Amino acid sequence: MPNKCSVVGCNSGYKDGPNYSRYKFPQDEQLAAKWLRFLNRPANYVITENSFICSLHFDNIFLKITPHNFTKLNYSLNPIPTIHPLSIPQSQAIIPTSSRPLPKDRVFQPDQISIYEQKFRIRKFPDVIDFLAKAPEYASFKLHIEDSFVTAYHLVISSGLASVKECITIYSDFQVKLSYEGSLIPLPSYIKNSTDHKITHLDALENLPKYCRNFDSNYDVDVIKELIQLCYFSPRGRPKYSSQVLRFSLLLRYTSNSAYGVLKKYLPLPSNSLLRKLKSPSIDNCQALQVLRDQNLIGNDIAILLDEMHLQSQVQFDGHTLIGCNADLEMYTSILCFMVISLRKSLPFVISAVPLVRNSGDIVYDNLNTCLLLLTQCRFRVRAIISDNHTTNVKAYNRLFTNYKIQDKDYKIKNPYISDENIYLLFDTCHLIKNIRNNLGT
């Protein structure tokens, strides 16, 4: 196609087409590859001396008009064609020739969650022992069984000397301890992310031997190097500890307190108070509220806001734990959220979020009492409880009125934990307006 535009769908230079200026492919290979991709030609298309792209496909910033009214392409700007033709010839279009056949048989898969739970869920401690005795991953392991734990260990004999390589201990409460060549190693992420760092499913045990064998042998060396570098910093100007140092310190501190004390004299190991905070299973809401109050981010007079947030029923699998359902495999449908907000400050703080399969006035009432007790222990003064007028909240309010009602004062109750303080029960304005709209609006 001599002196014709090579772009699919463009008829510039053809007998009955327009006659735009046409330009040869650039010498730069990378730029030429971009031009070739723009052609929309088959993969085996080869650029020749008769391959051109016309000015119709370039932006005006790459074009210049000569005094003789010719349109030239400015190759110094590395021009790239970006404007495609308005239509593609019918021969180039992909048109389906037949419709998709309807399926003859409908395939319904069984409930995979129920099958998985029935096969792998650990229900009692003997299930773990039976699995370790039969699993092929533990064929080379020996078992030591006690009433409170079972230990699977890999014994290796070399030059007449016996040594223990991988050692895996599972306790009767399904806690796990791992060691390699006599040294404790941190748990894998799928156990650390599980509930209370416990084994809940048998298939989680399959990967433990391989995890112990592949554990990084330079782990302890890196920890020692970091601790030596920290010796050159003053305690106040010292960088934060890495996760490796914190894991090493936790393992050493709660394995041998005396050994940790000896090393702490020579190395800048984390303090015992820091390790206790890291060992704590969750955030202390009472302490967090007190910190916010000390930093003047929340006042002493507060109100409790409660609302139910509906969830899309869904189960996720994380750390060999099912998230989104209870122990009976009933999926949660909502979360009952309790939030504290100060009357003089605007920083909200969630003190409780309870997943629910189904809600009721008794559940709201019991959780309200728990929140009131927590806030009283933190020396906060609860002035109001605010919610929408959902039937469950109305029933909870009625129980509060029944148990803590003040004579002739239907809008407030006595604080069950501080007798000389009153709590107002309110419905928030936003939900009232929404209810009016939903029930009276057209």
Side-chain angles (χ1 to χ4, degrees), residues 163-233:
S163 62
V164 176
K165 292 292 186 178
E166 304 91 3
C167 183
I168 302 165
T169 301
I170 298 99
Y171 294 89
S172 57
D173 61 350
F174 309 124
Q175 295 277 359
V176 182
K177 183 182 290 185
L178 305 178
S179 64
Y180 184 75
E181 295 184 346
S183 299
L184 291 172
I185 60 177
L187 298 175
S189 58
Y190 60 84
I191 297 180
K192 290 190 294 185
N193 295 335
S194 62
T195 305
D196 297 330
H197 297 222
K198 295 182 180 181
I199 289 284
T200 58
H201 293 78
L202 292 173
D203 59 333
L205 299 171
E206 295 177 351
N207 298 326
L208 292 182
K210 184 177 180 181
Y211 172 80
C212 293
R213 287 193 297 269
N214 296 337
F215 187 75
D216 187 6
S217 59
N218 295 323
Y219 173 80
D220 294 335
V221 176
D222 294 338
V223 169
I224 298 301
K225 286 182 179 180
E226 180 180 345
L227 290 174
I228 292 175
Q229 292 175 354
L230 292 176
C231 292
Y232 298 99
F233 292 89

Side-chain angles (χ1 to χ4, degrees), residues 290-300 345 347:
Q290 291 172 347
V291 170
L292 292 176
R293 180 171 55 190
D294 295 340
Q295 295 179 355
N296 200 28
L297 296 176
I298 192 171
N300 200 47
K345 302 287 182 178
L347 179 66

Side-chain angles (χ1 to χ4, degrees), residues 54-70:
C54 70
S55 61
L56 178 64
H57 307 291
F58 292 93
D59 194 277
N60 291 334
I61 60 174
F62 301 122
L63 304 174
K64 57 182 179 180
I65 306 298
T66 64
H68 301 286
N69 204 24
F70 290 106

